[in-house]
Amino acid sequence: MRVLTVDDSRTILAMLHHTLTNAGFEVLQAENGQVGLDMLGREDVDVVITDINMPVMDGIEFIKQVRATGKHQSLPILILTTETSQDKRDQGRAAGGTGWIVKPFDPEKLISVINKVVH
Amino acid sequence: MSDLDEFKATYFDECSELLLELEEQFSAIQEGDRDSERLNAVFRAIHSIKGGGGAFGFDGLVKFAHSFETLLDYVRDGKVELSEDVIVLCIRSIDIVADFVGAARTGDALAASYGAVEKAQFDALARGQSAGAASTDDEPMDDFDIDFTPVAVNLERELPMASTAPATDGMTRWTIGFTPFPTLYERANDPLLLFRELGMLGTMTVTPRLKPMPKLADFDPFGVYCAWDIELVSDRASADTIREVFEFVDGDCAITIEMHEGSAPAAIALDDDDLPSFAALAEMAKAERKFIATGDADDMGAGADLSALLDDTKAEAAAPAPLHLVAEAAPAPATAANRDRSTDAPEDSASSGRPVGMQSIRVDLDKVDRVVNMVGELVITQSMLTQQMDDAIRDRYQELVRGIEVLAQTTRGLQDAVMAIRAQPVKSVFSRMPRLVRELASKTGKKIKLETIGENTEIDKTVIEQLSDPLTHMVRNSADHGIESPEKRVSRGKPEVGTVRLSAEQAGGNILIIVEDDGGGINRDRVLEIARERGVVGPDQQMTDEQIDNLIFAPGFSTASEVSDISGRGVGMDVVLSNIKKIGGSVHVRSWTGKGTRMTLRLPLTLAVLDVMLVKVAGSPYVIPLSSIVETIQNSRADFGHMPSGGKVLQVRGEYVQVVDLATRFEMTTDQAEDSRFVVLCEAEGNSKIALVVDDIIGQQQVVIKSLEENFERIDGIAGGTILGDGNVALIVDVQSLKSGTAHQTAA
Amino acid sequence: MEALGIRDDYSDGTAASQNTLQLIAFSIDEQIYGVEITTVREIRAWNGATPLPNTREYVRGVINLRGTIVPIFDLRARFGDGKTNPTKNHVVVVMSVGDKWIGILVDAVSDILTVSKDDIHTVPEGNSVDTELLNGIVTHDGRMVGLIDLAAVVSGAKTDA
């Protein structure tokens, strides 16, 4: 099972990497939406976890672009956010986000949310 | 290091970068640049600091950052005006965030009220602009108290519904109606997964409600052709836990939840033959997806099968399996094979053989240093080869010569490329200065503007690391001693606000870093007076203005009692000099009375490779940095004079220069005839010269500097070691420390 | 040190049981000394060293060990018995002490000894040089082997300075 993690924070990427590899996932990393999008062009992944606030290409645009490519219409995308302001999450969902994960996350919670959206 | 410590280290690294970014962005904003991308960048930076801080439980930091972020969000949305006051508040707050981060790093506690004033200002600003939406202000931590509760997952993946045992007491029967909207599929949610999750709550029966199916040509893969009724028998489900299952599809489907009192019969409708199998539907869904995803020939085939299936409702209806989701419901997130692989290489996803795909990579400086050192050796070996080619060889082995020439070119290219890896913009040091100047200004009541020029100039990382302390001292000195009070400046006809300008530029093989101020200049009478008092200068010694200016770097000139609280902390400018010398640089100061002072740092581009003259003393090889050599003279032609102490001086172009015989100085004996030895005239700091006497001069070459301290200790008069082409170690002469009187003070 | 291609896990291959020590034994004049085998990184023939100025007599200079500069201590001189007059037959034992690598100049390397920790005797009080530089004394085949305290050999160079 491969997870693409997209976040401009190295701390968060490192923590995701640790938690997910420990749970047996293979983890790909991208530091912004553009890099993530490029990666999806080359790599097959089972689920994407993305931050919203990122330079170059933010999470909302990233999700929109992913959904715009026919190949990834059924790819689960989880929005990683500390934003409670419902609007960010809603924007993410409107763009095509499958679900969300709230930072700071604990490892079990993270895995259980992933299991909610992937086979 | 534990995982947590490692994450923290990453986090603090990241914070340092983000704080620099904040500093930079705000200084541009302060200068009037209101590019919205700048605001986005500062928002993101604070957001990231907060996010990571939350993960480690740095509450003070998180609370402060949250208020900061909230304000920035309002500013970004135009709800709060970015006035001068707000900018000043933000800049001050960066310092506070930096202090919070610093305290978190060291584990120190800050005063509980630290940053409270600024935080209150943020909250007030935000409140003023968000009437009716004040909740964020009252409960700043609400980000982390989100109403999201993870669904309890049985990690053993024992599915209660695996058994169709009759319900026992305490069971509740639920009927759930679930009608997805197209948006549910557009967001890649999957009813199957929802059922799987629901199934973890109890024993479940799923009944589809099929709508009329279109022909394949009209079939919309994301269309909704099916809804479901679910019967759930559970001892732990509640309306809330059921709703939670559908959390991600809230708004993307219609849900009805009904509870039926009393215990329920198990496995209702298990033998209802009229229903199509769920498994068949799932297969169908998969086939559709595949078809959409690739559209290649095989999948067209699958699509065709699908159409047969769709056209023949009987085929569906005849599908025998009842609605047990057991087998499909719970694939573990990791297969056993996956786990095995991850144990083999637990930390390294790259080991899977696929690119991780970062566009940049982070490499330990140690590793780069190793490459730099080896390339240095390569450069030296190559130049050695080149030197050994005489005309006879050139004539005889033309191919070999050509090969060596190509090797020379490639080696140089490699050297440049490797050095570029280690080069970093001086920005990382420069950007620490605005805060320093702000603090100095507020402490001294002066008005000071800091200008920076050329902050993208790149220098070797090791040089940059050594630059921070000296530069801090110099900027402090300019702001503290250079710039006058506003009143004094006005009375002198100068602008009230003083300017400190920090600039960097590359000049040949050197980097020049200049700290200038438009203050009062050095008070030469006072400097000379202090220098005489402290015995730095003899009572009758005459000095030029320039020499007096440079006395501020003399060891013993400044003392703790004399320097101010801000500039000093007990160390004076002589520390600047010794730090800069340590990295092979020099410092020079010029001052104009009443107009200002300019301090110039000259630094080598790299520390790794040094051009040297190879000499011999008492049979051992020594090297002297070419940059400090003025000229060489054979002893027999040198004009020596003898001093009462028994020492010698060299007269050269009307100047008398102290002579140091390296053999004597290094307590070795030489049998070389005095007349056949050489004088190497060197220039130390501040134009002072020293004449070193050596036995023989072998030639010039490049060497890679090696540390003696790595495995041993510092040796007086020696700056380090190097390895010659023949594999022997040569010692690098520390010209500066050989100047009498400084020999035991300079650290190399 | 990894760059030197020498791994630190010697003990994996040579691990003796908990209660024994493996020593590299070497001689100065007729006396045998030993250091724990796990500290030894390399044994090489004497091939000269670049003398260091302004340092103590028993520091013979520095050598190039695959790109790293390593100091060489003359153990005879360190014991106060005068400088060794080294020939090609003399041996430098390169060892790691803390995070530093050093070499000691000895007359010859004789053997690898396995001794029991229980057989280690304390150094009799009396001569401060002995107690400073030896960790203990052990008997092997009826001969006395002095266990060198490497940290003392090196740090002595500093305290004397």
Side-chain angles (χ1 to χ4, degrees):
Chain A
M1 189 85 78
R2 305 181 97 203
V3 187
L4 170 63
T5 55
V6 189
D7 200 310
D8 60 329
S9 160
R10 287 204 309 283
T11 314
I12 300 294
L13 280 182
M15 296 178 80
L16 284 171
H17 182 269
H18 179 79
T19 307
L20 293 170
T21 48
N22 274 353
F25 291 90
E26 189 183 339
V27 180
L28 306 186
Q29 298 179 323
E31 68 263 31
N32 64 52
Q34 186 59 56
V35 177
L37 203 58
D38 294 346
M39 231 179 251
L40 280 179
R42 297 190 303 268
E43 305 280 340
D44 288 325
V45 306
D46 300 292
V47 58
V48 175
I49 298 176
T50 181
D51 190 26
I52 293 295
N53 277 300
M54 290 181 290
V56 188
M57 183 191 286
D58 69 16
I60 306 283
E61 183 61 25
F62 169 64
I63 296 170
K64 278 186 192 156
Q65 301 245 7
V66 172
R67 289 288 181 242
T69 51
K71 191 181 160 194
H72 299 303
Q73 278 169 340
S74 306
L75 176 66
I77 304 176
L78 291 168
I79 304 158
L80 188 61
T81 177
T82 57
E83 318 264 350
T84 43
S85 44
Q86 195 75 25
D87 56 331
K88 280 284 173 205
R89 196 197 297 164
D90 288 350
Q91 280 177 41
R93 286 234 291 151
T98 310
W100 56 89
I101 296 166
V102 179
K103 291 187 280 188
F105 49 82
D106 71 59
E108 256 178 56
K109 198 191 247 184
L110 176 71
I111 302 301
S112 80
V113 174
I114 292 176
N115 283 330
K116 263 181 108 148
V117 298
V118 292
H119 287 276
Chain B
M1 193 152 58
S2 77
D3 295 329
L4 192 64
D5 287 345
E6 218 166 285
F7 295 147
K8 278 189 186 168
T10 308
Y11 172 68
F12 289 129
D13 270 6
E14 194 174 5
C15 280
S16 308
E17 286 166 27
L18 293 169
L19 285 164
L20 287 187
E21 163 105 21
L22 281 167
E23 187 79 63
E24 242 179 86
Q25 298 291 359
F26 266 111
S27 81
I29 290 170
Q30 192 170 29
E31 271 154 32
D33 185 343
R34 296 293 151 87
D35 186 340
S36 66
E37 195 31 55
R38 291 201 186 280
L39 273 174
N40 285 334
V42 298
F43 180 84
R44 277 195 307 268
I46 284 292
H47 183 76
S48 288
I49 291 173
K50 185 187 85 170
F56 301 117
F58 300 143
D59 289 346
L61 170 61
V62 170
K63 283 185 180 147
F64 188 83
H66 181 77
S67 289
F68 198 168
E69 180 188 341
T70 306
L71 177 72
L72 289 172
D73 201 20
Y74 284 129
V75 169
R76 201 168 55 161
D77 295 348
K79 293 180 194 154
V80 170
E81 190 206 345
L82 192 53
S83 65
E84 191 61 30
D85 285 348
V86 171
I87 293 171
V88 169
L89 173 65
C90 287
I91 290 177
R92 191 162 65 239
S93 299
I94 295 170
D95 297 347
I96 293 170
V97 171
D99 290 340
F100 271 118
V101 170
R105 187 196 295 253
T106 55
D108 294 339
L110 290 171
S113 62
Y114 194 71
V117 176
E118 288 77 7
K119 185 173 179 301
Q121 283 173 300
F122 287 143
D123 295 346
L125 278 164
R127 218 176 359 254
Q129 301 303 322
S130 60
S135 63
T136 47
D137 313 315
D138 298 328
E139 184 40 270
M141 293 298 289
D142 64 350
D143 260 13
F144 303 104
D145 298 334
I146 180 158
D147 51 354
F148 171 77
T149 318
V151 175
V153 173
N154 183 337
L155 292 175
E156 275 71 49
R157 323 235 165 254
E158 281 173 18
L159 296 180
M161 44 173 296
S163 134
T164 54
T168 54
D169 286 341
M171 290 287 182
T172 311
R173 186 166 61 92
W174 298 85
T175 314
I176 301 149
F178 170 55
T179 310
F181 304 154
T183 52
L184 183 142
Y185 297 108
E186 283 164 15
R187 288 167 191 163
N189 277 296
D190 187 337
L192 178 62
L193 293 165
L194 296 169
F195 299 152
R196 182 175 87 191
E197 183 136 354
L198 208 51
M200 293 184 189
L201 292 172
T203 310
M204 180 175 68
T205 313
V206 180
T207 313
R209 275 182 271 124
L210 283 173
K211 294 180 184 170
M213 290 277 183
K215 292 276 181 212
L216 183 62
D218 304 324
F219 186 81
D220 172 4
F222 288 97
V224 175
Y225 303 108
C226 189
W228 291 270
D229 290 319
I230 303 138
E231 285 245 342
L232 177 70
V233 179
S234 167
D235 59 351
R236 58 189 177 282
S238 69
D240 281 349
T241 53
I242 292 169
R243 282 203 184 280
E244 256 170 37
V245 170
F246 294 96
E247 182 187 25
F248 287 165
V249 294
D250 186 21
D252 295 335
C253 60
I255 301 265
T256 57
I257 302 175
E258 278 175 54
M259 186 174 77
H260 307 276
E261 294 300 335
S263 63
I268 321 164
L270 272 183
D271 47 359
D272 190 340
D273 275 345
D274 293 339
L275 296 171
S277 93
F278 188 81
L281 282 172
E283 270 315 303
M284 187 174 95
K286 261 191 196 153
E288 285 163 21
R289 280 217 186 109
K290 242 179 152 181
F291 180 42
I292 299 307
T294 58
D296 65 22
D298 285 352
D299 295 319
M300 291 295 273
D305 290 343
L306 179 65
S307 78
L309 186 66
L310 293 175
D311 280 341
D312 188 356
T313 42
K314 255 193 148 176
E316 290 169 12
L323 300 169
H324 286 275
L325 293 181
V326 182
E328 273 201 82
T335 62
N338 271 343
R339 275 191 209 286
D340 288 345
R341 209 167 353 127
S342 66
T343 346
D344 287 341
E347 299 303 331
D348 188 3
S349 63
S351 66
S352 66
R354 287 174 180 265
V356 176
M358 280 288 207
Q359 284 186 334
S360 62
I361 56 164
R362 287 177 177 267
V363 181
D364 273 355
L365 194 58
D366 277 358
K367 290 187 188 165
V368 178
D369 285 350
R370 234 176 280 158
V371 177
V372 169
N373 279 338
M374 281 191 283
V375 170
E377 308 281 0
L378 187 62
V379 168
I380 287 159
T381 311
Q382 172 270 315
S383 64
M384 211 177 61
L385 282 177
T386 308
Q387 277 166 18
Q388 288 187 352
M389 282 190 302
D390 54 24
D391 290 344
I393 292 178
R394 280 176 202 283
D395 288 347
R396 251 183 95 180
Y397 305 104
Q398 290 181 5
E399 281 305 311
L400 178 69
V401 170
R402 202 163 306 141
I404 289 179
E405 278 165 4
V406 172
L407 178 67
Q409 265 178 6
T410 316
T411 311
R412 292 283 162 181
L414 182 61
Q415 191 185 17
D416 289 348
V418 166
M419 286 328 214
I421 292 176
R422 230 168 47 159
Q424 281 199 326
V426 292
K427 199 194 286 179
S428 60
V429 178
F430 276 20
S431 55
R432 292 178 207 170
M433 300 306 148
R435 174 173 188 178
L436 177 73
V437 170
R438 277 199 300 279
E439 285 177 353
L440 286 163
S442 79
K443 254 188 180 163
T444 57
K446 294 175 184 174
K447 296 196 169 170
I448 309 172
K449 182 173 75 182
L450 178 73
E451 290 179 10
T452 51
I453 298 165
E455 57 186 8
N456 288 321
T457 308
E458 294 195 328
I459 320 185
D460 193 279
K461 183 170 163 60
T462 47
V463 180
I464 286 193
E465 281 162 1
Q466 301 292 322
L467 190 58
S468 176
D469 284 355
L471 201 60
T472 304
H473 267 291
M474 288 163 73
V475 170
R476 271 192 176 135
N477 195 74
S478 281
D480 197 23
H481 296 311
I483 304 289
E484 313 94 324
S485 66
E487 304 77 46
K488 202 169 193 177
R489 290 184 65 88
V490 170
S491 76
R492 282 180 175 177
K494 290 178 171 183
E496 193 186 26
V497 178
T499 302
V500 174
R501 183 181 296 128
L502 193 52
S503 68
E505 61 180 291
Q506 186 174 343
N510 291 293
I511 296 285
L512 298 184
I513 302 220
I514 299 169
V515 181
E516 277 177 289
D517 65 68
D518 63 350
I522 290 174
N523 182 341
R524 296 198 178 102
D525 292 343
R526 177 82 186 120
V527 166
L528 199 54
E529 192 185 325
I530 294 173
R532 290 220 161 103
E533 264 172 32
R534 304 204 169 134
V536 176
V537 176
D540 301 317
Q541 200 171 342
Q542 292 305 305
M543 303 194 84
T544 65
D545 285 355
E546 208 172 325
Q547 282 172 320
I548 295 172
D549 290 348
N550 283 283
L551 280 175
I552 63 168
F553 294 113
F557 173 76
S558 58
T559 67
S561 64
E562 181 255 344
V563 292
S564 78
D565 162 41
I566 294 165
S567 278
R569 293 181 187 165
V571 275
M573 296 295 281
D574 56 332
V575 173
V576 170
L577 182 62
S578 69
N579 280 349
I580 292 301
K581 279 194 312 195
K582 218 190 279 185
I583 51 177
S586 64
V587 194
H588 186 75
V589 62
R590 279 206 70 179
S591 180
W592 295 266
T593 307
K595 286 186 179 156
T597 304
R598 178 166 65 210
M599 286 179 273
T600 307
L601 281 185
R602 184 181 289 271
L603 298 167
L605 270 179
T606 169
L607 295 183
V609 178
L610 191 67
D611 282 301
V612 296
M613 178 179 280
L614 177 61
V615 302
K616 268 218 153 96
V617 180
S620 293
Y622 287 85
V623 300
I624 303 171
L626 269 191
S627 59
S628 55
I629 297 177
V630 180
E631 63 180 304
T632 57
I633 312 160
Q634 191 151 25
N635 264 13
S636 55
R637 310 164 74 112
D639 188 357
F640 289 117
H642 291 268
M643 303 301 284
S645 66
K648 279 201 271 189
V649 290
L650 175 73
Q651 189 188 357
V652 55
R653 287 180 292 274
E655 206 178 330
Y656 289 99
V657 178
Q658 177 198 4
V659 174
V660 172
D661 183 331
L662 284 187
T664 316
R665 181 68 174 70
F666 291 156
E667 295 169 344
M668 291 175 175
T669 47
T670 175
D671 44 15
Q672 191 85 11
E674 204 52 36
D675 265 2
S676 67
R677 300 177 80 205
F678 288 85
V679 177
V680 181
L681 183 63
C682 297
E683 192 174 56
E685 287 313 319
N687 290 334
S688 66
K689 293 191 178 65
I690 181 170
L692 305 178
V693 180
V694 302
D695 290 354
D696 200 3
I697 291 173
I698 312 291
Q700 294 180 5
Q701 65 177 86
Q702 281 193 318
V703 297
V704 178
I705 302 170
K706 305 268 179 185
S707 160
L708 285 182
E709 284 148 86
E710 183 184 343
N711 288 315
F712 191 48
E713 61 196 46
R714 204 190 108 63
I715 300 282
D716 177 36
I718 300 297
T722 186
I723 292 158
L724 299 175
D726 61 6
N728 284 323
V729 177
L731 302 175
I732 302 170
V733 175
D734 185 353
V735 173
Q736 191 62 37
S737 79
L738 288 174
K739 280 287 290 175
S740 60
T742 60
H744 297 278
Q745 290 176 19
T746 316
Chain C
M1 293 309 155
E2 186 186 317
L4 302 181
I6 296 175
R7 290 154 52 209
D8 284 335
D9 53 0
Y10 282 68
S11 49
D12 289 354
T14 56
S17 72
Q18 290 267 316
N19 205 35
T20 59
L21 273 184
Q22 284 201 303
L23 305 174
I24 292 273
F26 48 81
S27 59
I28 292 171
D29 298 329
E30 295 305 308
Q31 178 56 49
I32 298 179
Y33 298 97
V35 292
E36 233 185 297
I37 199 166
T38 50
T39 64
V40 175
R41 292 291 171 260
E42 184 167 328
I43 295 168
R44 41 161 57 205
W46 171 259
N47 190 26
T50 301
L52 288 173
N54 307 325
T55 188
R56 285 146 312 283
E57 184 190 42
Y58 54 81
V59 179
R60 291 305 291 255
V62 286
I63 62 165
N64 161 25
L65 191 74
R66 289 178 295 276
T68 305
I69 295 180
V70 174
I72 306 299
F73 294 80
D74 182 340
L75 204 56
R76 177 182 279 103
R78 184 73 183 90
F79 290 155
D81 296 334
K83 281 172 83 166
T84 304
N85 192 11
T87 67
K88 294 254 175 217
N89 295 326
H90 282 77
V91 172
V92 171
V93 183
V94 179
M95 291 169 286
S96 60
V97 184
D99 57 353
K100 301 197 168 188
W101 284 37
I102 62 152
I104 58 173
L105 173 63
V106 299
D107 290 355
V109 168
S110 55
D111 211 349
I112 295 174
L113 309 177
T114 303
V115 299
S116 165
K117 284 183 183 171
D118 296 336
D119 294 343
I120 298 174
H121 304 272
T122 51
V123 183
E125 297 287 335
N127 188 320
S128 64
V129 174
D130 300 340
T131 48
E132 182 197 339
L133 298 176
L134 295 184
N135 273 332
I137 299 172
V138 69
T139 310
H140 189 267
D141 283 351
R143 300 191 61 180
M144 187 194 106
V145 179
L147 302 179
I148 302 286
D149 184 343
L150 289 172
V153 168
V154 178
S155 67
K158 280 195 171 165
T159 50
D160 290 357

